[in-house]
């Protein structure tokens, strides 16, 4: 899909569905492959404007694919019909600046005034029967101009989907704000919140934001008091790996009703890539450092998962906790993985982590 440009595109920025034949079209704005022509149809009654010959896009689109076309005709794939999970990116703004964030500080400060309209168009065109919606950012609750409106749109459209909100939890320290969020959020939404350490100075040093520990802790407590589903995330880095046991003991003491605790290996992009010498810890060392903490949680009946860990760095007895958590288009394997017997089960690694850290994988025989 990279580098596809529709020639002579002059309809402005659009979000469209691709149909491989006219009989499958509905009222949504569509790009149709009609015989040997690619056509653009913006309403049900339209005949469709011919864009180019089919050869130009040969095999690049799949039926039901949702694509974005820029003003200059550049095409980006947003969603495959076969995919049951959707990310709704609210904003790139964040009130923290975590040293291992996969987004850079520079990217978090960029803004695009047309984004709100674009996002509404995207939500409108999505199929309503997807299984899972991820509300993400930046910090999604900082999109104050659109947050409540978009949440209402999502709640009304995706009535049978599960929802997850990835948040640093700081906004939920304000109980009045939290009440408004709960009112517009589907029942059963999972709030996934990182707690970097039980030591406030370590947490605040990782977020590079003084006072963030207090706010996150109060946010988690407020959510649990409101009987919300909370997942606590611990991103393992050089900065917090020596206090994982203390951190889970703190969680058990203060947040006993937590839904689950997940340990996460880093994605080496953005701040994480810039600060790699300070933050990166090899996968196997990260697992070893987390093992006691995992055992404590499991013995206490708390669900645990490992995100972004290739299987060969995890002890066999813990493989069932290793989730295939990396988004399809970011998954990568090392060349040596081709002979690995468990490749089909392994969630691989991030593309960026492969190229920056060159992990020494151990193919399973
Ligand atoms: S060798 Fe490769 S495929 Fe096998 S477990 Fe490790 S990372 Fe996964």
């Amino acid at each position: 899909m990279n580098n596809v440009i529709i020639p002579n595109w002059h309809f402005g920025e659009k979000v469209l569905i691709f149909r491989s034949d006219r009989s499958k079209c509905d009222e949504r704005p569509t790009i149709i492959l009609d015989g040997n022509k690619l056509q653009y149809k913006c309403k049900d009654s339209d005949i469709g404007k011919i864009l180019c010959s089919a050869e130009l896009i040969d095999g690049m689109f799949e039926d039901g694919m949702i694509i974005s076309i820029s003003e200059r005709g550049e095409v980006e794939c947003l969603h495959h019909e076969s995919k049951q999970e959707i990310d709704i990116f609210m904003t790139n703004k964040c009130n923290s600046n975590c040293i291992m964030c996969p987004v850079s500080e520079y990217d978090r400060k960029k803004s695009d005034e047309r984004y709100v309209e674009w996002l509404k168009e995207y939500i409108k065109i999505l199929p309503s029967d997807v299984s899972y919606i991820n509300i993400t950012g930046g910090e999604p609750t900082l999109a104050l101009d659109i947050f409540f409106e978009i949440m209402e749109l999502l709640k009304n459209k995706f009535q049978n989907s599960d929802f997850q909100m990835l948040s640093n939890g700081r906004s939920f320290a304000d109980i009045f704000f939290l009440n408004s969020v709960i009112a517009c959020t589907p029942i059963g939404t999972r709030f996934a919140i990182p707690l970097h350490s039980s030591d406030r100075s370590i947490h605040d040093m990782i977020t590079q934001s003084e006072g963030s520990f207090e706010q996150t802790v109060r946010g988690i407590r407020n959510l649990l008091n409101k009987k919300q589903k909370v997942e606590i995330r611990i991103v393992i880095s050089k900065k917090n790996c020596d206090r994982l046991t203390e951190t889970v003991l703190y969680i058990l003491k203060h947040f006993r009703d937590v839904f689950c605790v997940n340990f996460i290996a880093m994605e080496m992009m953005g701040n994480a890539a810039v600060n790699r010498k300070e933050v990166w810890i090899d996968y196997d060392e990260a697992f070893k450092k987390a093992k006691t903490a995992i055992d404590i949680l499991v013995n206490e009946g708390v669900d645990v998962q490992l995100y972004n860990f290739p299987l060969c760095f995890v002890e066999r007895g813990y493989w069932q906790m290793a989730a295939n958590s990396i988004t399809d288009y970011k998954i990568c394997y090392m060349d040596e993985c081709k002979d690995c017997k468990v490749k089909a089960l392994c969630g691989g690694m991030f593309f960026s982590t492969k190229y920056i850290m060159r992990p020494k994988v151990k193919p399973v025989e």
Side-chain angles (χ1 to χ4, degrees):
M1 182 54 63
N2 288 341
N3 307 322
V4 181
I5 296 183
I6 307 270
N8 307 317
W9 177 260
H10 55 271
F11 303 101
E13 196 169 9
K14 296 278 177 220
V15 182
L16 305 152
I17 186 160
F18 173 76
R19 286 301 180 198
S20 56
D21 98 55
R22 190 167 283 277
S23 66
K24 293 179 180 167
C25 291
D26 50 28
E27 74 290 349
R28 292 181 285 183
T30 310
I31 290 272
I32 318 162
L33 197 58
D34 199 14
N36 67 345
K37 294 274 185 288
L38 190 71
Q39 296 189 347
Y40 165 53
K41 181 183 79 69
C42 59
K43 286 196 215 88
D44 207 18
S45 53
D46 275 1
I47 293 172
K49 298 168 179 72
I50 294 173
L51 297 169
C52 60
S53 86
E55 289 152 29
L56 237 139
I57 52 109
D58 192 25
M60 285 172 182
F61 300 134
E62 285 169 30
D63 193 46
M65 193 182 249
I66 292 173
I67 57 174
S68 163
I69 305 185
S70 73
E71 279 179 359
R72 292 165 49 203
E74 297 142 328
V75 180
E76 185 190 350
C77 169
L78 304 173
H79 180 72
H80 287 259
E81 213 165 40
S82 58
K83 217 175 127 200
Q84 279 303 307
E85 194 171 325
I86 287 173
D87 287 337
I88 299 293
F89 181 82
M90 286 276 193
T91 178
N92 49 359
K93 282 189 226 153
C94 191
N95 46 354
S96 296
N97 180 25
C98 297
I99 49 175
M100 70 317 168
C101 180
V103 181
S104 71
E105 191 174 0
Y106 172 77
D107 280 336
R108 262 186 273 107
K109 286 182 177 161
K110 283 198 277 193
S111 66
D112 178 357
E113 284 163 13
R114 292 167 307 174
Y115 183 67
V116 182
E117 286 318 308
W118 183 95
L119 182 58
K120 286 188 201 164
E121 250 190 272
Y122 178 48
I123 293 170
K124 205 157 133 197
I125 206 168
L126 283 167
S128 58
D129 59 352
V130 291
S131 309
Y132 212 80
I133 314 274
N134 263 317
I135 316 290
T136 184
E139 167 52 39
T141 59
L142 293 187
L144 273 182
D145 47 340
I146 58 163
F147 181 79
F148 293 105
E149 184 188 356
I150 297 292
M151 286 310 299
E152 289 291 349
L153 273 181
L154 296 171
K155 187 177 169 180
N156 292 333
K157 173 155 186 170
F158 302 102
Q159 300 197 353
N160 297 313
S161 310
D162 290 325
F163 279 70
Q164 171 170 258
M165 191 180 298
L166 302 171
S167 164
N168 61 32
R170 297 175 61 184
S171 305
F172 308 137
D174 176 344
I175 195 73
F176 297 106
F177 180 76
L178 175 59
N179 286 338
S180 313
V181 172
I182 292 173
C184 71
T185 304
I187 292 169
T189 294
R190 184 197 285 214
F191 293 88
I193 299 178
L195 182 69
H196 301 298
S197 178
S198 55
D199 181 321
R200 73 193 59 212
S201 62
I202 295 178
H203 181 97
D204 287 2
M205 177 258 292
I206 289 175
T207 62
Q208 303 192 85
S209 179
E210 211 182 321
S212 61
F213 176 84
E214 287 300 334
Q215 288 181 324
T216 294
V217 162
R218 204 170 330 135
I220 295 173
R221 192 171 299 131
N222 284 344
L223 282 161
L224 292 174
N225 286 343
K226 293 274 173 190
K227 308 283 178 232
Q228 300 300 304
K229 200 188 270 182
V230 177
E231 167 190 330
I232 293 184
R233 300 186 153 201
I234 303 174
V235 182
I236 306 176
S237 72
K238 230 184 233 174
K239 298 291 187 191
N240 65 356
C241 64
D242 291 322
R243 285 191 59 89
L244 297 175
T245 304
E246 289 84 347
T247 300
V248 302
L249 290 173
Y250 179 92
I251 292 169
L252 288 169
K253 182 171 173 198
H254 297 278
F255 308 130
R256 197 65 190 78
D257 296 335
V258 72
F259 182 71
C260 61
V261 176
N262 294 334
F263 293 87
I264 302 185
M266 283 177 287
E267 177 180 6
M268 298 311 280
M269 280 179 68
N271 283 1
V274 173
N275 301 320
R276 56 185 172 273
K277 287 205 177 102
E278 277 177 72
V279 299
W280 174 253
I281 167 168
D282 288 333
Y283 290 120
D284 45 2
E285 204 188 338
F287 173 76
K288 280 180 201 142
K289 297 263 187 191
K291 198 177 150 191
T292 308
I294 295 169
D295 291 345
I296 292 171
L297 288 165
V298 172
N299 286 335
E300 288 295 323
V302 176
D303 267 351
V304 176
Q305 283 198 303
L306 298 168
Y307 285 179
N308 314 340
F309 278 86
L311 280 184
C312 55
F313 297 105
V314 174
E315 253 181 58
R316 235 169 235 251
Y318 295 75
W319 279 8
Q320 80 280 6
M321 294 178 195
N324 286 358
S325 47
I326 301 178
T327 318
D328 327 0
Y329 71 92
K330 288 184 176 177
I331 298 176
C332 239
Y333 296 90
M334 303 299 285
D335 291 346
E336 301 88 311
C337 296
K338 68 180 186 319
D339 300 322
C340 177
K341 293 276 186 299
V342 297
K343 189 175 175 197
L345 298 175
C346 172
M349 62 193 78
F350 285 104
F351 187 83
S352 54
T353 307
K354 169 179 171 174
Y355 285 101
I356 294 181
M357 303 320 305
R358 313 290 314 172
K360 291 195 174 42
V361 293
K362 297 165 269 187
V364 177
E365 296 179 353

